[in-house]
Amino acid sequence: MGSTPPYLRIAAEIQERITSGELRAGDRVPSARQITKEWGVAIATATKVLAVLRHEGTVRVVPGVGTVVDTPQAAPQQQHGRETELTAATVVRAGMAIADAEGLAALSMRRVATELGVPTMSLYRHVGSKDRLVLLMADAAFGEAEFPDPPPTGWRARLEVLARLQWAMYHRHPWVVTAMWVSRPEPEPKLLAHTEWAARSFDDLGLDPDAVIYAHVSLYSYVRGVAVNLELEAVARRAGAPVEPWDIREPEFERLLAGGQFPTLANLNERNDFQFDIDKLFEFGLQRLLDGFAAFVEPRR
């Protein structure tokens, strides 16, 4: 294989189209399916191409439209035909592209080295270990958040911003839910930026330090807890199993409810044409959690 892995080479070619003005801000970039046809690569490779471009901030996903150019500026330089410069950032980007396309279970130091076309042992000089690499990948994912400046007024509005930024991150990188857990906090700068934002939300409210930290961790845990379903769906899709929407499974529920064992649920079902939406679930739970925070915070102001 060449010194530059195919997905990085293709990403560089698309970046060159953006740099040259062939693709401008708002233009659609080739979809994963178009990449497979134009470059003759597998769909997994095409997915990694788009993951790299998103991670570099070159493109963004617009619902109902597709992946479009985010800015008219050139993406980070990548020279055709030259070996990719091996840095910690390069290794992290390659690891994230693999995890985005195939899940964290597919990640290994050997796999990353193969994708980058370098000896496996050379990676350890830059990221130390696989565990360290996964942490750096998660830190980079959290680092994609763009906090508004100036921030919104009020603790509740600030926490809504934080929760929605994290929810959007899990949509892009569902594997992060398995990379982090609250009982082992990590002193990484991009992760700490989220803690800092949460802590500042409670400035001047007179809360004790324990309450501030537990409130932050409760919010983080809520978002991560709902996001576990995004990772489960991603795993199911990669395995080829159908992720069945509510309307497909509804006849099975109807048969169970008709038996009379669950009268309350049957009554609810008769009065409501429910269509499950995980984003609506996230918003509903977020507002109820913040209502609880308000009941705790407001009397102490």
Side-chain angles (χ1 to χ4, degrees):
M1 62 183 296
S3 58
T4 302
Y7 73 92
L8 289 180
R9 174 178 54 79
I10 297 169
E13 292 180 16
I14 295 175
Q15 288 168 348
E16 180 60 31
R17 294 182 185 181
I18 296 169
T19 303
S20 68
E22 180 182 344
L23 292 173
R24 300 183 179 182
D27 288 348
R28 288 187 61 182
V29 301
S31 66
R33 189 170 299 279
Q34 289 169 330
I35 290 172
T36 62
K37 293 180 179 179
E38 183 173 347
W39 280 275
V41 295
I43 191 67
T45 299
T47 303
K48 285 192 285 185
V49 171
L50 296 176
V52 168
L53 293 172
R54 288 196 305 270
H55 180 64
E56 294 288 357
T58 305
V59 302
R60 61 189 174 91
V61 177
V62 177
V65 176
T67 303
V68 302
V69 178
D70 195 22
T71 73
Q73 301 168 347
Q77 292 182 355
Q78 178 106 27
Q79 299 296 326
H80 300 288
R82 295 185 184 177
E83 183 174 350
T84 304
E85 180 185 0
L86 192 62
T87 65
T90 302
V91 177
V92 168
R93 284 196 298 271
M96 292 181 73
I98 293 170
D100 286 346
E102 303 174 48
L104 206 57
L107 183 74
S108 69
M109 297 296 271
R110 177 176 293 182
R111 174 67 186 281
V112 174
T114 299
E115 295 288 349
L116 292 173
V118 299
T120 302
M121 291 307 297
S122 66
L123 302 184
Y124 290 90
R125 295 196 298 270
H126 299 280
V127 296
S129 66
K130 179 185 173 182
D131 287 346
R132 177 64 178 164
L133 171 59
V134 171
L135 175 59
L136 292 174
M137 289 163 51
D139 191 51
F142 276 90
E144 294 174 354
E146 296 183 4
F147 293 104
D149 186 15
T153 302
W155 66 267
R156 183 164 186 146
R158 288 178 62 102
L159 292 181
E160 285 182 353
V161 165
L162 180 66
R164 289 174 183 144
L165 285 172
Q166 291 179 1
W167 180 243
M169 181 274 293
Y170 285 121
H171 264 292
R172 295 190 299 271
H173 312 294
W175 51 268
V176 176
V177 300
T178 61
M180 305 293 300
W181 57 92
V182 298
S183 61
R184 194 185 74 176
E186 299 289 353
E188 295 300 324
K190 299 179 181 68
L191 288 166
L192 286 176
H194 287 246
T195 305
E196 174 72 12
W197 179 274
R200 285 189 178 182
S201 300
F202 294 112
D203 274 355
D204 304 323
L205 293 183
L207 301 183
D208 64 74
D210 282 0
V212 171
I213 295 300
Y214 281 130
H216 158 60
V217 174
S218 295
L219 182 67
Y220 165 82
S221 298
Y222 166 72
V223 180
R224 178 181 178 272
V226 181
V228 166
N229 297 284
L230 300 176
E231 169 63 358
L232 292 173
E233 288 184 359
V235 170
R237 283 193 296 269
R238 287 193 296 268
V243 179
E244 297 177 330
W246 177 265
D247 56 353
I248 294 177
R249 301 299 300 275
E250 188 173 9
E252 298 178 37
F253 284 101
E254 294 284 357
R255 284 194 293 272
L256 284 173
L257 296 180
Q261 291 177 284
F262 312 102
T264 304
L265 293 178
N267 182 50
L268 285 173
N269 186 58
E270 289 177 2
R271 293 189 292 115
N272 181 43
D273 183 18
F274 180 74
Q275 296 293 321
F276 181 79
D277 185 317
I278 194 167
D279 291 301
K280 289 183 180 179
L281 169 66
F282 165 74
E283 283 292 339
F284 178 87
L286 174 62
Q287 295 307 318
R288 303 296 77 76
L289 178 64
L290 295 178
D291 288 346
F293 281 8
F296 175 74
V297 167
E298 295 304 329
R300 291 166 171 75
R301 298 191 67 170

